Structures are given as structure tokens and as C-alpha cells.
């Protein structure tokens, strides 16, 4: 028990508080808190506070030296306080979330863990940094969230920079993500290639379905169907690498021998078709299941 006083921060400066939690920073920060609030949030603290205190001196405020830094404690304790005292703290980064989660696990704060679990899949995290979210979700066994994050990783190139959170998971867990990506790419690509090989007129009345090559007498024109076919094969290649409906738009209409008139017809239809095809790609990917254990079928 150390009596040296650190800085204090609002709302953890209440003189009526009955314990000080001292941060691990070089210049420590003191959090004057109420045992009751900590006990309600944490069986760990509830048990700790029932232990007999060695120097029961009412004039000295007991101090607990914490392993957590002040930023982490401010977030963790803020989440333990009612909104009538302070607004719930906003976790700005995944690092914040990770640090608070680590502490919440240590102190058996189930309510806070559940809260962090819902924060993890907020679009600002799962859409912007899905690999990091995947690793955190796997680390804590949150399978639904891990699957959702894995799906979001498909929107990014496979070759991503190293992120800290990968240290949280095993090689096997990362390998299964890569395997999932590969399966998604193959199934999406095959689906697009299969569509491309379908007979004309079986697809739904697009201009290329009715194409019998250019009938306008322009010898150089191979007609909308050839143009579309090349485009489809380009799409199949793209979604193999990055299996995602939006990637359909990345394929360019190739420089095939097509007359301006046929090209205009294709252009009229292709925007609508991209939406349809993107939907089909997404539907195929949804069928692929991310595995979590080697023996999972
Ligand atoms: Zn033509």
C-alpha cells in the first residue's frame, strides 16, 4: 500500500470515494472510486473488498496499485459508473477496446465484456479494420462476430500489412481465414464463369442475350455478346482475388471489336447488370462457411 498521491481526474476525484485505484503510468493517476460500484460490476472486486484489510486505519484511504494505465482505467471505470454521474466513455480505437477488454476479463466484468462485444462490430471497426476485428473476436471466442469480420476482410486485398492483433491468434486461426478467402474466391469466380457459359436468352433478356453478332453489316463488330463474355471472364478473375460483389465494377469492358452502336447498347444494360451480378456473387460467398476447428465440416 503506497500513500504517495497521484493526479486525479473527473469524475474520479470525489472526496467521498472509499478507495483509490492508482494507474501504472510513470506519473500515476489516482482514481477515487466507490467500492460498491466496483463490486456491482465485478465479482473480482467484490471478493477483494471482503478480504480483511491489514492496516484498517479509517484515516488513510486505501490504495490499489493497478497494472492498467490511466487511459484504460478511465474507460473501464467510466463504463462502471451510471450515466447520471458521467456520460459513458467512447472507445475511439480498437486498441482502446482491446485494453479495456483485457482488464474486463481480468476483473470478471461480464456486463462490460458483452458491451465491448457489441461495439466490436460497429461499422467503424468491422468495415474499416476487419482483420483486426477478426483477430479480437477469435481471441475471445466470439464466433458470430468473427464470421462477420471474416466476410468483411474479403473487401480488402489479401496482402495486408501486419496488425498487432494477429499476435492474439494462432497460426491455425489465421490459416483458416486464408482458406475461407480462397474458397470464397473460387466459388464466386466459378459462379461468374458458369453464368458466362450459359446459352443466350437464358439469362434474363439483356442485350447480349439476344446477340447474334452485329447485324448492321459492319464487318468489324463481334456483337454485344462477345463484348460481355470478355467482361464476364475479367470479372471472374477479379472476384477470385477479391471475392466481393462490389468488385464486379472493377472489370473494364475490354477493347473488343465492337461497333459504337452495339457498345452503346451494352453500356445501357451493363450498369443494371452489375447490380444483379454483384448480388449473385454475394449470394455465392454467403454459402461458404468459415471453419474454426480442424475437424469442423
Ligand atoms: Zn455492332
Amino acid at each position: 500500500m503506497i500513500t504517495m498521491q497521484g493526479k486525479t481526474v473527473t469524475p474520479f476525484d470525489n472526496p467521498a470515494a472509499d478507495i483509490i485505484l492508482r494507474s501504472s503510468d510513470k506519473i500515476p493517476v489516482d482514481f477515487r472510486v466507490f467500492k460498491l460500484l466496483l463490486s456491482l460490476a465485478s465479482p473480482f472486486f467484490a471478493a477483494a473488498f471482503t478480504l480483511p484489510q491489514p492496516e484498517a486505519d479509517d484515516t488513510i484511504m486505501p490504495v490499489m496499485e493497478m497494472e492498467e494505465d490511466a487511459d484504460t482505467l478511465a474507460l473501464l471505470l467510466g463504463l462502471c459508473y451510471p450515466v447520471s454521474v458521467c456520460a459513458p466513455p467512447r472507445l475511439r480505437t480498437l486498441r482502446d477496446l482491446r485494453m479495456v477488454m483485457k482488464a474486463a476479463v481480468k476483473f470478471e466484468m461480464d456486463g462490460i465484456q458483452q458491451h465491448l462485444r457489441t461495439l466490436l462490430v460497429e461499422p467503424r471497426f468491422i468495415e474499416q479494420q476487419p482483420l483486426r476485428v477478426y483477430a479480437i473476436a477469435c481471441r475471445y471466442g466470439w464466433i458470430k462476430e468473427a464470421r462477420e469480420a471474416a466476410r468483411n476482410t474479403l473487401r480488402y486485398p489479401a496482402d495486408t500489412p501486419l496488425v498487432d492483433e494477429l499476435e492474439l491468434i494462432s497460426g491455425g486461426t489465421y490459416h483458416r481465414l486464408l482458406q475461407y478467402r480462397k474458397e470464397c474466391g473460387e466459388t464466386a469466380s466459378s459462379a461468374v464463369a458458369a453464368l458466362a457459359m450459359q446459352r443466350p436468352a437464358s439469362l434474363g433478356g439483356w442485350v447480349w442475350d439476344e446477340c447474334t453478332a452485329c447485324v448492321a453489316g459492319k464487318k468489324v463488330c463481334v456483337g454485344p455478346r462477345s463484348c460481355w463474355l470478355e467482361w464476364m471472364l475479367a470479372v471472374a478473375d477479379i472476384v477470385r482475388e477479391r471475392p466481393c460483389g462490389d468488385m464486379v465494377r472493377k472489370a473494364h469492358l475490354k477493347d473488343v471489336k465492337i461497333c459504337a452502336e452495339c457498345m452503346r447498347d451494352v453500356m445501357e444494360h451493363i450498369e443494371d447488370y452489375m447490380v444483379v451480378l454483384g448480388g449473385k456473387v454475394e449470394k455465392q460467398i454467403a454459402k461458404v462457411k468459415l471453419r474454426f476447428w480442424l475437424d469442423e465440416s
Side-chain angles (χ1 to χ4, degrees):
M1 201 170 283
I2 297 173
T3 52
M4 179 189 77
Q5 278 207 327
K7 295 188 297 177
T8 55
V9 285
T10 311
F12 308 111
D13 52 359
N14 192 322
D18 49 12
I19 191 163
I20 289 174
L21 305 189
R22 182 161 291 158
S23 78
S24 62
D25 306 270
K26 270 188 187 165
I27 301 172
V29 178
D30 282 357
F31 292 79
R32 302 172 72 95
V33 290
F34 295 87
K35 288 180 184 171
L36 175 64
L37 287 177
L38 292 184
S39 297
L40 289 173
S42 156
F44 174 95
F45 280 114
F49 295 150
T50 59
L51 296 175
Q53 301 299 312
E55 306 159 33
D57 181 345
D58 287 349
T59 61
I60 299 174
M61 175 88 87
V63 175
M64 276 179 90
E65 298 286 336
M66 307 296 286
E67 286 178 355
E68 290 73 25
D69 63 15
D71 290 343
T72 304
L73 286 177
L75 294 168
L76 184 77
L77 298 172
L79 290 170
C80 297
Y81 270 54
V83 286
S84 51
V85 176
C86 63
R90 179 173 160 82
L91 278 71
R92 295 181 190 283
T93 65
L94 282 174
R95 185 184 176 279
D96 286 348
L97 192 148
R98 230 173 59 216
M99 301 311 285
V100 176
M101 184 62 194
K102 193 177 166 193
V105 169
K106 183 162 95 181
F107 301 129
E108 303 163 4
M109 295 169 160
D110 287 349
I112 291 181
Q113 291 175 36
Q114 287 310 311
H115 176 68
L116 297 176
R117 188 173 178 173
T118 58
L119 284 188
L120 184 63
V121 291
E122 283 187 352
R124 65 192 170 115
F125 293 139
I126 202 164
E127 288 176 8
Q128 305 294 323
Q129 303 168 86
L131 180 59
R132 299 179 68 191
V133 170
Y134 171 79
I136 295 171
C138 288
R139 164 70 181 79
Y140 293 108
W142 298 336
I143 290 182
K144 180 172 160 284
E145 289 77 4
R147 286 193 198 285
E148 203 180 321
R151 180 80 184 259
N152 275 274
T153 63
L154 303 176
R155 294 167 47 239
Y156 293 87
D159 187 14
T160 53
L162 179 67
V163 291
D164 286 351
E165 286 75 9
L166 285 178
E167 309 291 353
L168 299 174
I169 60 173
S170 70
T173 303
Y174 185 60
H175 183 272
R176 282 187 273 280
L177 178 67
L178 297 182
Q179 188 63 30
Y180 166 75
R181 184 186 186 96
K182 195 174 167 201
E183 283 176 36
C184 288
E186 279 165 8
T187 190
S189 181
S190 307
V192 173
L195 270 178
M197 295 309 150
Q198 282 185 24
R199 286 171 174 279
S202 64
L203 296 166
W206 305 94
V207 63
W208 44 83
D209 296 341
E210 289 131 28
C211 174
T212 51
C214 185
V215 290
K218 300 179 185 66
K219 288 176 191 167
V220 293
C221 183
V222 295
R225 185 164 180 84
S226 287
C227 177
W228 171 81
L229 193 60
E230 286 214 23
W231 179 79
M232 286 290 275
L233 296 177
V235 171
D237 281 345
I238 287 173
V239 295
R240 183 181 294 111
E241 295 307 312
R242 211 178 316 176
C244 168
D246 288 347
M247 293 306 290
V248 164
R249 296 187 168 275
K250 297 284 179 191
H252 297 292
L253 286 164
K254 288 278 178 64
D255 191 19
V256 289
K257 289 177 181 168
I258 183 169
C259 71
E261 200 177 326
C262 291
M263 181 54 104
R264 197 191 58 228
D265 289 346
V266 170
M267 293 303 282
E268 257 179 38
H269 281 211
I270 204 80
E271 275 292 320
D272 291 342
Y273 187 73
M274 282 176 181
V275 176
V276 175
L277 187 62
K280 286 181 190 290
V281 165
E282 288 293 327
K283 210 172 160 183
Q284 287 302 316
I285 293 169
K287 293 178 187 169
V288 181
K289 198 177 173 196
L290 173 67
R291 293 182 182 83
F292 282 97
W293 297 278
L294 280 176
D295 57 351
E296 194 184 11
S297 58

